[in-house]
Amino acid sequence: MNKRQHHAGRHGRLAVSALAAAEATGRTGVVHVADVAVVAAAADRTDLASILLDRYRAARAELGANAEPVARAVCAWLEEGRDVTAAAGRLFVHPNTVRNRIQRFTEVTGIDASDTFAGVNAWWLCQTWLAPA
C-alpha cells in the first residue's frame, strides 16, 4: 500500500465514523468528524462499551422498564448542552420529567452527569443501553 492509498483508506474510515456519530447524535447534513470526535471514538471501542455495560448491569436492571426513557432523557439533556427545557421539548415531556429521570439515573448509577467526564461516560452508557441488541 502506498502513501496515497493509506491516506485515502484512513479518510474513508473517518468518514464512516463521522457518519455513524452524526446519526447517533441526530445531526443531519455535512458533519466534520472533528465535531463528533468523542462519539466516533466511543463507537469504535466496543470493548469499553462492554465494560460499561457490565459495570452498570445492576443499575439497568433496577431501572427495569424505565431504563429506556431514563437513558433517552440523559442523552437528550447532555446533547442539548444540559438544557432541561430543550431536552424536554425534544422528548415531548415536561422539564420536571427530564429532571426526575436524570436524578433517577444518578441514584442508580452513581454517575453525576453534570461533571464533564462523568457526563461523557453517562452519555456513552445510555447510548449503549439504547443500542439495538
Side-chain angles (χ1 to χ4, degrees):
M1 178 183 297
N2 66 33
K3 187 175 181 179
R4 181 182 207 122
Q5 289 170 322
H6 175 73
H7 190 66
R10 184 175 61 138
H11 279 93
R13 286 189 306 278
L14 287 175
V16 170
S17 293
L19 175 63
E23 287 175 347
T25 58
R27 295 184 185 205
T28 59
V30 177
V31 177
H32 193 281
V33 71
D35 295 336
V36 289
V38 169
V39 180
D44 285 345
R45 293 302 306 264
T46 56
D47 56 336
L48 292 175
S50 293
I51 291 169
L52 277 173
L53 285 175
D54 286 344
R55 179 162 189 189
Y56 296 102
R57 187 174 313 282
R60 189 176 195 300
E62 187 174 334
L63 288 170
N66 291 320
E68 184 177 332
V70 165
R72 288 195 189 290
V74 170
C75 289
W77 178 67
L78 289 167
E79 291 166 11
E80 294 292 342
R82 296 183 176 108
D83 182 330
V84 170
T85 304
R90 180 170 154 184
L91 298 170
F92 304 104
V93 298
H94 192 277
N96 284 341
T97 301
V98 173
R99 286 184 191 96
N100 292 337
R101 290 175 180 172
I102 293 165
Q103 181 178 354
R104 184 68 180 133
F105 174 83
T106 301
E107 288 170 1
V108 300
T109 64
I111 298 173
D112 177 5
S114 65
D115 173 79
T116 300
F117 293 113
V120 173
N121 281 344
W123 179 88
W124 193 0
L125 175 61
C126 288
Q127 284 293 319
T128 305
W129 282 352
L130 294 169

